[in-house]
mmCIF file of all heavy atoms in Angstrom:
data_model
loop_
_atom_site.group_PDB
_atom_site.id
_atom_site.type_symbol
_atom_site.label_atom_id
_atom_site.label_comp_id
_atom_site.label_asym_id
_atom_site.label_seq_id
_atom_site.Cartn_x
_atom_site.Cartn_y
_atom_site.Cartn_z
ATOM 1 N N ARG A 1 9.709 1.028 -3.305
ATOM 2 C CA ARG A 1 10.018 2.253 -2.592
ATOM 3 C C ARG A 1 11.433 2.656 -2.951
ATOM 4 O O ARG A 1 12.395 1.877 -3.246
ATOM 5 C CB ARG A 1 10.032 1.964 -1.047
ATOM 6 C CG ARG A 1 10.144 3.040 -0.229
ATOM 7 C CD ARG A 1 9.955 2.615 1.316
ATOM 8 N NE ARG A 1 11.313 1.985 1.635
ATOM 9 C CZ ARG A 1 11.399 1.057 2.501
ATOM 10 N NH1 ARG A 1 10.262 0.554 3.194
ATOM 11 N NH2 ARG A 1 12.576 0.566 2.953
ATOM 12 N N ARG A 2 11.469 4.043 -3.153
ATOM 13 C CA ARG A 2 12.857 4.647 -3.359
ATOM 14 C C ARG A 2 13.142 5.583 -2.349
ATOM 15 O O ARG A 2 12.694 6.710 -2.174
ATOM 16 C CB ARG A 2 12.774 5.437 -4.797
ATOM 17 C CG ARG A 2 12.621 4.456 -5.951
ATOM 18 C CD ARG A 2 13.849 3.606 -6.166
ATOM 19 N NE ARG A 2 13.757 2.675 -7.395
ATOM 20 C CZ ARG A 2 13.451 1.499 -7.309
ATOM 21 N NH1 ARG A 2 13.217 0.906 -6.090
ATOM 22 N NH2 ARG A 2 13.344 0.682 -8.404
ATOM 23 N N ASP A 3 14.077 5.084 -1.390
ATOM 24 C CA ASP A 3 14.284 5.863 -0.114
ATOM 25 C C ASP A 3 15.039 7.190 -0.514
ATOM 26 O O ASP A 3 14.852 8.198 0.204
ATOM 27 C CB ASP A 3 15.191 5.024 0.701
ATOM 28 C CG ASP A 3 14.425 3.968 1.382
ATOM 29 O OD1 ASP A 3 13.153 3.786 1.274
ATOM 30 O OD2 ASP A 3 15.184 3.031 1.861
ATOM 31 N N ALA A 4 15.832 7.206 -1.530
ATOM 32 C CA ALA A 4 16.499 8.516 -1.885
ATOM 33 C C ALA A 4 15.463 9.582 -2.230
ATOM 34 O O ALA A 4 15.788 10.790 -2.112
ATOM 35 C CB ALA A 4 17.448 8.232 -3.033
ATOM 36 N N LYS A 5 14.306 9.125 -2.739
ATOM 37 C CA LYS A 5 13.351 10.059 -3.132
ATOM 38 C C LYS A 5 12.228 10.148 -2.075
ATOM 39 O O LYS A 5 11.178 10.841 -2.216
ATOM 40 C CB LYS A 5 12.687 9.761 -4.474
ATOM 41 C CG LYS A 5 13.742 9.928 -5.632
ATOM 42 C CD LYS A 5 12.979 9.745 -6.948
ATOM 43 C CE LYS A 5 13.847 10.058 -8.077
ATOM 44 N NZ LYS A 5 13.262 10.005 -9.430
ATOM 45 N N ASN A 6 12.299 9.323 -0.969
ATOM 46 C CA ASN A 6 11.183 9.178 0.013
ATOM 47 C C ASN A 6 9.909 9.055 -0.602
ATOM 48 O O ASN A 6 8.910 9.690 -0.194
ATOM 49 C CB ASN A 6 11.311 10.628 0.790
ATOM 50 C CG ASN A 6 10.849 10.080 2.375
ATOM 51 O OD1 ASN A 6 11.061 9.133 2.770
ATOM 52 N ND2 ASN A 6 10.260 11.276 3.025
ATOM 53 N N THR A 7 9.799 8.161 -1.576
ATOM 54 C CA THR A 7 8.580 7.997 -2.266
ATOM 55 C C THR A 7 8.227 6.446 -2.432
ATOM 56 O O THR A 7 9.107 5.663 -2.646
ATOM 57 C CB THR A 7 8.696 8.535 -3.742
ATOM 58 O OG1 THR A 7 9.013 9.997 -3.560
ATOM 59 C CG2 THR A 7 7.412 8.460 -4.449
ATOM 60 N N LEU A 8 6.990 6.160 -2.342
ATOM 61 C CA LEU A 8 6.474 4.802 -2.572
ATOM 62 C C LEU A 8 5.798 4.753 -3.930
ATOM 63 O O LEU A 8 5.254 5.837 -4.466
ATOM 64 C CB LEU A 8 5.461 4.532 -1.479
ATOM 65 C CG LEU A 8 4.575 3.295 -1.593
ATOM 66 C CD1 LEU A 8 5.517 1.965 -1.135
ATOM 67 C CD2 LEU A 8 3.441 3.277 -0.790
ATOM 68 N N TYR A 9 5.915 3.707 -4.663
ATOM 69 C CA TYR A 9 5.323 3.507 -5.994
ATOM 70 C C TYR A 9 4.488 2.340 -6.066
ATOM 71 O O TYR A 9 4.558 1.441 -5.321
ATOM 72 C CB TYR A 9 6.378 3.420 -7.036
ATOM 73 C CG TYR A 9 7.276 4.640 -7.050
ATOM 74 C CD1 TYR A 9 8.546 4.669 -6.279
ATOM 75 C CD2 TYR A 9 7.104 5.768 -7.854
ATOM 76 C CE1 TYR A 9 9.381 5.714 -6.265
ATOM 77 C CE2 TYR A 9 7.943 6.725 -7.950
ATOM 78 C CZ TYR A 9 9.066 6.829 -7.119
ATOM 79 O OH TYR A 9 9.935 7.896 -7.155
ATOM 80 N N LEU A 10 3.611 2.392 -7.001
ATOM 81 C CA LEU A 10 2.692 1.244 -7.363
ATOM 82 C C LEU A 10 2.696 1.147 -8.896
ATOM 83 O O LEU A 10 2.039 1.969 -9.521
ATOM 84 C CB LEU A 10 1.312 1.307 -6.885
ATOM 85 C CG LEU A 10 0.440 0.114 -7.071
ATOM 86 C CD1 LEU A 10 0.928 -1.155 -6.215
ATOM 87 C CD2 LEU A 10 -1.066 0.269 -6.731
ATOM 88 N N GLN A 11 3.406 0.151 -9.432
ATOM 89 C CA GLN A 11 3.423 -0.131 -10.830
ATOM 90 C C GLN A 11 2.239 -0.956 -11.246
ATOM 91 O O GLN A 11 2.121 -2.094 -10.662
ATOM 92 C CB GLN A 11 4.796 -0.697 -11.405
ATOM 93 C CG GLN A 11 4.843 -1.218 -12.751
ATOM 94 C CD GLN A 11 4.839 -0.057 -13.780
ATOM 95 O OE1 GLN A 11 5.460 0.896 -13.487
ATOM 96 N NE2 GLN A 11 3.982 -0.140 -14.890
ATOM 97 N N MET A 12 1.431 -0.573 -12.054
ATOM 98 C CA MET A 12 0.184 -1.266 -12.437
ATOM 99 C C MET A 12 0.232 -1.624 -13.945
ATOM 100 O O MET A 12 0.344 -0.772 -14.748
ATOM 101 C CB MET A 12 -1.042 -0.497 -12.051
ATOM 102 C CG MET A 12 -1.025 -0.029 -10.712
ATOM 103 S SD MET A 12 -2.587 0.895 -10.114
ATOM 104 C CE MET A 12 -2.505 2.218 -11.230
ATOM 105 N N ASN A 13 0.199 -2.892 -14.215
ATOM 106 C CA ASN A 13 0.324 -3.381 -15.601
ATOM 107 C C ASN A 13 -0.969 -4.130 -15.918
ATOM 108 O O ASN A 13 -1.745 -4.580 -15.011
ATOM 109 C CB ASN A 13 1.468 -4.260 -15.806
ATOM 110 C CG ASN A 13 2.818 -3.497 -15.675
ATOM 111 O OD1 ASN A 13 2.926 -2.303 -15.970
ATOM 112 N ND2 ASN A 13 3.814 -4.161 -15.096
ATOM 113 N N ASN A 14 -1.263 -4.256 -17.247
ATOM 114 C CA ASN A 14 -2.472 -5.062 -17.644
ATOM 115 C C ASN A 14 -3.634 -4.671 -16.933
ATOM 116 O O ASN A 14 -4.481 -5.567 -16.297
ATOM 117 C CB ASN A 14 -2.242 -6.560 -17.474
ATOM 118 C CG ASN A 14 -3.158 -7.407 -18.147
ATOM 119 O OD1 ASN A 14 -3.843 -6.985 -19.023
ATOM 120 N ND2 ASN A 14 -3.270 -8.608 -17.714
ATOM 121 N N LEU A 15 -3.918 -3.401 -16.945
ATOM 122 C CA LEU A 15 -5.075 -2.872 -16.128
ATOM 123 C C LEU A 15 -6.373 -3.278 -16.650
ATOM 124 O O LEU A 15 -6.457 -3.419 -17.857
ATOM 125 C CB LEU A 15 -4.951 -1.318 -16.025
ATOM 126 C CG LEU A 15 -3.909 -0.787 -15.050
ATOM 127 C CD1 LEU A 15 -3.579 0.586 -15.355
ATOM 128 C CD2 LEU A 15 -4.585 -0.919 -13.566
ATOM 129 N N LYS A 16 -7.373 -3.423 -15.759
ATOM 130 C CA LYS A 16 -8.640 -3.889 -16.154
ATOM 131 C C LYS A 16 -9.695 -2.948 -15.641
ATOM 132 O O LYS A 16 -9.453 -2.228 -14.729
ATOM 133 C CB LYS A 16 -8.985 -5.297 -15.455
ATOM 134 C CG LYS A 16 -7.928 -6.282 -15.803
ATOM 135 C CD LYS A 16 -8.137 -7.625 -15.056
ATOM 136 C CE LYS A 16 -7.092 -8.693 -15.228
ATOM 137 N NZ LYS A 16 -7.355 -9.990 -14.485
ATOM 138 N N PRO A 17 -10.858 -2.871 -16.204
ATOM 139 C CA PRO A 17 -12.009 -1.946 -15.766
ATOM 140 C C PRO A 17 -12.202 -2.218 -14.270
ATOM 141 O O PRO A 17 -12.501 -1.188 -13.611
ATOM 142 C CB PRO A 17 -13.127 -2.375 -16.558
ATOM 143 C CG PRO A 17 -12.502 -2.759 -17.900
ATOM 144 C CD PRO A 17 -11.332 -3.468 -17.499
ATOM 145 N N ASP A 18 -12.113 -3.339 -13.673
ATOM 146 C CA ASP A 18 -12.331 -3.613 -12.234
ATOM 147 C C ASP A 18 -11.195 -2.869 -11.420
ATOM 148 O O ASP A 18 -11.427 -2.851 -10.232
ATOM 149 C CB ASP A 18 -12.345 -5.101 -11.986
ATOM 150 C CG ASP A 18 -13.631 -5.651 -12.395
ATOM 151 O OD1 ASP A 18 -14.624 -5.020 -12.777
ATOM 152 O OD2 ASP A 18 -13.642 -6.954 -12.415
ATOM 153 N N ASP A 19 -10.197 -2.405 -12.082
ATOM 154 C CA ASP A 19 -9.220 -1.625 -11.310
ATOM 155 C C ASP A 19 -9.481 -0.201 -11.019
ATOM 156 O O ASP A 19 -8.848 0.519 -10.333
ATOM 157 C CB ASP A 19 -7.769 -1.799 -11.894
ATOM 158 C CG ASP A 19 -7.191 -3.225 -12.011
ATOM 159 O OD1 ASP A 19 -7.393 -3.999 -11.024
ATOM 160 O OD2 ASP A 19 -6.692 -3.549 -12.986
ATOM 161 N N THR A 20 -10.619 0.174 -11.703
ATOM 162 C CA THR A 20 -11.094 1.555 -11.508
ATOM 163 C C THR A 20 -11.446 1.868 -10.055
ATOM 164 O O THR A 20 -12.196 1.158 -9.451
ATOM 165 C CB THR A 20 -12.264 1.916 -12.426
ATOM 166 O OG1 THR A 20 -11.907 1.718 -13.761
ATOM 167 C CG2 THR A 20 -12.793 3.239 -12.133
ATOM 168 N N ALA A 21 -10.753 2.949 -9.488
ATOM 169 C CA ALA A 21 -10.963 3.283 -8.079
ATOM 170 C C ALA A 21 -10.150 4.431 -7.737
ATOM 171 O O ALA A 21 -9.189 4.949 -8.556
ATOM 172 C CB ALA A 21 -10.500 2.037 -7.250
ATOM 173 N N VAL A 22 -10.395 5.011 -6.533
ATOM 174 C CA VAL A 22 -9.445 5.985 -5.947
ATOM 175 C C VAL A 22 -8.388 5.116 -5.281
ATOM 176 O O VAL A 22 -8.819 4.407 -4.347
ATOM 177 C CB VAL A 22 -10.140 6.924 -5.062
ATOM 178 C CG1 VAL A 22 -9.139 7.967 -4.359
ATOM 179 C CG2 VAL A 22 -11.223 7.705 -5.831
ATOM 180 N N TYR A 23 -7.098 5.481 -5.428
ATOM 181 C CA TYR A 23 -6.021 4.712 -4.927
ATOM 182 C C TYR A 23 -5.345 5.576 -3.777
ATOM 183 O O TYR A 23 -5.141 6.746 -3.997
ATOM 184 C CB TYR A 23 -5.024 4.257 -5.906
ATOM 185 C CG TYR A 23 -5.394 3.106 -6.714
ATOM 186 C CD1 TYR A 23 -6.362 3.252 -7.624
ATOM 187 C CD2 TYR A 23 -4.842 1.930 -6.634
ATOM 188 C CE1 TYR A 23 -6.864 2.193 -8.447
ATOM 189 C CE2 TYR A 23 -5.270 0.781 -7.272
ATOM 190 C CZ TYR A 23 -6.222 0.930 -8.205
ATOM 191 O OH TYR A 23 -6.718 -0.002 -8.957
ATOM 192 N N TYR A 24 -5.206 4.928 -2.623
ATOM 193 C CA TYR A 24 -4.550 5.609 -1.522
ATOM 194 C C TYR A 24 -3.377 5.021 -1.049
ATOM 195 O O TYR A 24 -3.308 3.776 -0.909
ATOM 196 C CB TYR A 24 -5.662 5.633 -0.298
ATOM 197 C CG TYR A 24 -6.979 6.248 -0.496
ATOM 198 C CD1 TYR A 24 -8.026 5.458 -1.059
ATOM 199 C CD2 TYR A 24 -7.222 7.625 -0.211
ATOM 200 C CE1 TYR A 24 -9.305 6.160 -1.272
ATOM 201 C CE2 TYR A 24 -8.361 8.187 -0.366
ATOM 202 C CZ TYR A 24 -9.356 7.421 -0.868
ATOM 203 O OH TYR A 24 -10.658 8.027 -1.140
ATOM 204 N N CYS A 25 -2.352 5.607 -0.651
ATOM 205 C CA CYS A 25 -1.278 5.158 0.160
ATOM 206 C C CYS A 25 -1.469 5.368 1.625
ATOM 207 O O CYS A 25 -1.994 6.362 1.962
ATOM 208 C CB CYS A 25 0.084 5.682 -0.301
ATOM 209 S SG CYS A 25 0.308 7.473 -0.073
ATOM 210 N N ALA A 26 -0.860 4.500 2.385
ATOM 211 C CA ALA A 26 -1.023 4.710 3.865
ATOM 212 C C ALA A 26 0.214 4.043 4.631
ATOM 213 O O ALA A 26 0.910 3.211 4.016
ATOM 214 C CB ALA A 26 -2.200 3.872 4.255
ATOM 215 N N ALA A 27 0.507 4.623 5.750
ATOM 216 C CA ALA A 27 1.671 4.292 6.578
ATOM 217 C C ALA A 27 1.343 3.575 7.865
ATOM 218 O O ALA A 27 0.326 4.133 8.535
ATOM 219 C CB ALA A 27 2.527 5.473 6.834
ATOM 220 N N SER A 28 1.890 2.402 8.154
ATOM 221 C CA SER A 28 1.797 1.771 9.325
ATOM 222 C C SER A 28 2.963 1.745 10.226
ATOM 223 O O SER A 28 4.057 1.521 9.600
ATOM 224 C CB SER A 28 1.333 0.279 9.054
ATOM 225 O OG SER A 28 1.336 -0.436 10.196
ATOM 226 N N VAL A 29 2.947 2.052 11.403
ATOM 227 C CA VAL A 29 4.048 2.124 12.236
ATOM 228 C C VAL A 29 4.635 0.804 12.623
ATOM 229 O O VAL A 29 5.734 0.659 13.080
ATOM 230 C CB VAL A 29 3.884 2.836 13.655
ATOM 231 C CG1 VAL A 29 3.510 4.283 13.243
ATOM 232 C CG2 VAL A 29 2.850 2.277 14.377
ATOM 233 N N GLN A 30 3.852 -0.268 12.382
ATOM 234 C CA GLN A 30 4.324 -1.644 12.696
ATOM 235 C C GLN A 30 5.048 -2.211 11.501
ATOM 236 O O GLN A 30 4.603 -2.247 10.352
ATOM 237 C CB GLN A 30 3.029 -2.522 12.963
ATOM 238 C CG GLN A 30 2.150 -2.115 14.158
ATOM 239 C CD GLN A 30 2.999 -2.200 15.479
ATOM 240 O OE1 GLN A 30 3.942 -2.834 15.551
ATOM 241 N NE2 GLN A 30 2.632 -1.238 16.372
ATOM 242 N N GLY A 31 6.294 -2.686 11.800
ATOM 243 C CA GLY A 31 7.099 -3.032 10.664
ATOM 244 C C GLY A 31 7.404 -4.544 10.637
ATOM 245 O O GLY A 31 7.995 -5.102 9.687
ATOM 246 N N ASP A 32 6.924 -5.326 11.711
ATOM 247 C CA ASP A 32 7.232 -6.715 11.731
ATOM 248 C C ASP A 32 6.133 -7.671 11.865
ATOM 249 O O ASP A 32 6.269 -8.775 12.447
ATOM 250 C CB ASP A 32 8.158 -6.931 12.849
ATOM 251 C CG ASP A 32 7.656 -6.548 14.187
ATOM 252 O OD1 ASP A 32 6.517 -5.932 14.220
ATOM 253 O OD2 ASP A 32 8.354 -6.691 15.254
ATOM 254 N N ARG A 33 4.918 -7.272 11.502
ATOM 255 C CA ARG A 33 3.736 -8.169 11.736
ATOM 256 C C ARG A 33 3.617 -9.062 10.502
ATOM 257 O O ARG A 33 4.158 -8.822 9.425
ATOM 258 C CB ARG A 33 2.469 -7.251 11.757
ATOM 259 C CG ARG A 33 2.477 -6.290 12.962
ATOM 260 C CD ARG A 33 2.628 -7.099 14.347
ATOM 261 N NE ARG A 33 2.646 -6.163 15.470
ATOM 262 C CZ ARG A 33 1.564 -5.858 16.098
ATOM 263 N NH1 ARG A 33 0.389 -6.308 15.885
ATOM 264 N NH2 ARG A 33 1.736 -5.007 17.176
ATOM 265 N N ALA A 34 2.763 -10.149 10.619
ATOM 266 C CA ALA A 34 2.513 -11.013 9.589
ATOM 267 C C ALA A 34 1.691 -10.312 8.511
ATOM 268 O O ALA A 34 0.961 -9.268 8.868
ATOM 269 C CB ALA A 34 1.794 -12.191 10.146
ATOM 270 N N ALA A 35 1.692 -10.822 7.354
ATOM 271 C CA ALA A 35 1.006 -10.197 6.280
ATOM 272 C C ALA A 35 -0.360 -9.843 6.455
ATOM 273 O O ALA A 35 -0.829 -8.735 6.114
ATOM 274 C CB ALA A 35 1.216 -11.176 4.953
ATOM 275 N N ILE A 36 -1.062 -10.673 7.149
ATOM 276 C CA ILE A 36 -2.538 -10.494 7.293
ATOM 277 C C ILE A 36 -2.775 -9.206 8.069
ATOM 278 O O ILE A 36 -3.881 -8.473 8.020
ATOM 279 C CB ILE A 36 -3.166 -11.666 7.932
ATOM 280 C CG1 ILE A 36 -4.774 -11.579 7.842
ATOM 281 C CG2 ILE A 36 -2.779 -11.767 9.481
ATOM 282 C CD1 ILE A 36 -5.423 -12.831 8.347
ATOM 283 N N TYR A 37 -1.976 -8.791 8.906
ATOM 284 C CA TYR A 37 -2.053 -7.601 9.665
ATOM 285 C C TYR A 37 -2.205 -6.369 8.653
ATOM 286 O O TYR A 37 -3.050 -5.371 9.053
ATOM 287 C CB TYR A 37 -0.847 -7.451 10.644
ATOM 288 C CG TYR A 37 -0.792 -6.138 11.384
ATOM 289 C CD1 TYR A 37 -1.416 -5.989 12.693
ATOM 290 C CD2 TYR A 37 -0.166 -4.962 10.978
ATOM 291 C CE1 TYR A 37 -1.316 -4.799 13.411
ATOM 292 C CE2 TYR A 37 -0.171 -3.789 11.654
ATOM 293 C CZ TYR A 37 -0.876 -3.757 12.881
ATOM 294 O OH TYR A 37 -0.770 -2.651 13.619
ATOM 295 N N TYR A 38 -1.488 -6.355 7.772
ATOM 296 C CA TYR A 38 -1.525 -5.123 6.823
ATOM 297 C C TYR A 38 -2.657 -5.189 5.842
ATOM 298 O O TYR A 38 -2.721 -4.245 5.120
ATOM 299 C CB TYR A 38 -0.145 -5.200 6.048
ATOM 300 C CG TYR A 38 1.112 -5.074 6.951
ATOM 301 C CD1 TYR A 38 1.920 -6.151 7.176
ATOM 302 C CD2 TYR A 38 1.385 -4.007 7.681
ATOM 303 C CE1 TYR A 38 2.892 -6.127 8.087
ATOM 304 C CE2 TYR A 38 2.441 -3.793 8.520
ATOM 305 C CZ TYR A 38 3.245 -5.009 8.713
ATOM 306 O OH TYR A 38 4.289 -4.900 9.540
ATOM 307 N N TYR A 39 -3.364 -6.174 5.859
ATOM 308 C CA TYR A 39 -4.565 -6.264 4.946
ATOM 309 C C TYR A 39 -5.637 -5.319 5.560
ATOM 310 O O TYR A 39 -6.644 -5.008 4.859
ATOM 311 C CB TYR A 39 -5.121 -7.622 4.792
ATOM 312 C CG TYR A 39 -4.207 -8.499 4.179
ATOM 313 C CD1 TYR A 39 -4.483 -9.976 4.186
ATOM 314 C CD2 TYR A 39 -2.987 -8.173 3.447
ATOM 315 C CE1 TYR A 39 -3.519 -10.825 3.596
ATOM 316 C CE2 TYR A 39 -2.105 -8.971 2.974
ATOM 317 C CZ TYR A 39 -2.379 -10.350 3.056
ATOM 318 O OH TYR A 39 -1.498 -11.269 2.503
ATOM 319 N N ASN A 40 -5.643 -4.931 6.862
ATOM 320 C CA ASN A 40 -6.638 -4.257 7.541
ATOM 321 C C ASN A 40 -6.295 -2.727 7.565
ATOM 322 O O ASN A 40 -5.344 -2.240 8.080
ATOM 323 C CB ASN A 40 -6.735 -4.777 8.973
ATOM 324 C CG ASN A 40 -7.836 -4.106 9.738
ATOM 325 O OD1 ASN A 40 -8.430 -3.162 9.415
ATOM 326 N ND2 ASN A 40 -8.231 -4.810 10.882
ATOM 327 N N GLU A 41 -7.177 -1.960 6.958
ATOM 328 C CA GLU A 41 -7.013 -0.474 6.847
ATOM 329 C C GLU A 41 -6.839 0.121 8.279
ATOM 330 O O GLU A 41 -6.257 1.163 8.382
ATOM 331 C CB GLU A 41 -8.049 0.100 6.039
ATOM 332 C CG GLU A 41 -9.494 0.024 6.565
ATOM 333 C CD GLU A 41 -10.491 0.824 5.756
ATOM 334 O OE1 GLU A 41 -10.070 1.938 5.176
ATOM 335 O OE2 GLU A 41 -11.509 0.386 5.626
ATOM 336 N N ASN A 42 -7.519 -0.424 9.181
ATOM 337 C CA ASN A 42 -7.430 0.122 10.480
ATOM 338 C C ASN A 42 -6.077 0.167 11.231
ATOM 339 O O ASN A 42 -5.841 0.665 12.203
ATOM 340 C CB ASN A 42 -8.490 -0.558 11.420
ATOM 341 C CG ASN A 42 -9.850 -0.256 11.052
ATOM 342 O OD1 ASN A 42 -10.284 0.806 10.711
ATOM 343 N ND2 ASN A 42 -10.621 -1.359 10.962
ATOM 344 N N ASN A 43 -5.061 -0.695 10.532
ATOM 345 C CA ASN A 43 -3.839 -0.731 11.078
ATOM 346 C C ASN A 43 -2.797 0.267 10.537
ATOM 347 O O ASN A 43 -1.650 0.264 10.710
ATOM 348 C CB ASN A 43 -3.232 -2.110 10.970
ATOM 349 C CG ASN A 43 -3.991 -3.086 11.916
ATOM 350 O OD1 ASN A 43 -4.443 -2.870 12.896
ATOM 351 N ND2 ASN A 43 -4.231 -4.313 11.374
ATOM 352 N N TYR A 44 -3.358 1.218 9.837
ATOM 353 C CA TYR A 44 -2.613 2.345 9.241
ATOM 354 C C TYR A 44 -3.062 3.566 9.829
ATOM 355 O O TYR A 44 -4.331 3.890 9.977
ATOM 356 C CB TYR A 44 -2.879 2.285 7.656
ATOM 357 C CG TYR A 44 -2.257 1.080 6.949
ATOM 358 C CD1 TYR A 44 -3.037 -0.039 6.939
ATOM 359 C CD2 TYR A 44 -1.051 1.218 6.239
ATOM 360 C CE1 TYR A 44 -2.439 -1.158 6.281
ATOM 361 C CE2 TYR A 44 -0.565 0.124 5.572
ATOM 362 C CZ TYR A 44 -1.302 -1.140 5.619
ATOM 363 O OH TYR A 44 -0.885 -2.178 4.985
ATOM 364 N N PHE A 45 -2.116 4.416 10.193
ATOM 365 C CA PHE A 45 -2.377 5.633 10.884
ATOM 366 C C PHE A 45 -2.378 6.932 9.926
ATOM 367 O O PHE A 45 -3.118 7.894 10.175
ATOM 368 C CB PHE A 45 -1.410 5.881 12.012
ATOM 369 C CG PHE A 45 -1.783 6.921 12.996
ATOM 370 C CD1 PHE A 45 -2.852 6.608 14.019
ATOM 371 C CD2 PHE A 45 -1.208 8.137 13.007
ATOM 372 C CE1 PHE A 45 -3.260 7.604 14.840
ATOM 373 C CE2 PHE A 45 -1.667 9.116 13.911
ATOM 374 C CZ PHE A 45 -2.769 8.882 14.902
#
């Protein structure tokens, strides 16, 4: 993340055909949960 630009990034290297997809960014208001919480798309508003 670059706060000065208010922008999130995803650097993707060594891409594979299986990486083909539509990529979405999402924001969750929860900042202190365990990692597994963030794996669930329903926890992003």
Side-chain angles (χ1 to χ4, degrees):
R1 194 178 70 206
R2 292 292 180 260
D3 291 345
K5 293 189 175 183
N6 211 28
T7 300
L8 176 77
Y9 299 91
L10 184 69
Q11 172 69 43
M12 305 186 295
N13 297 325
N14 191 21
L15 283 161
K16 306 174 181 180
D18 284 349
D19 295 319
T20 295
V22 177
Y23 284 71
Y24 300 89
C25 64
S28 171
V29 297
Q30 299 298 333
D32 60 354
R33 299 299 179 95
I36 192 170
Y37 176 90
Y38 300 105
Y39 302 164
N40 186 342
E41 64 175 323
N42 294 316
N43 293 326
Y44 294 80
F45 194 75

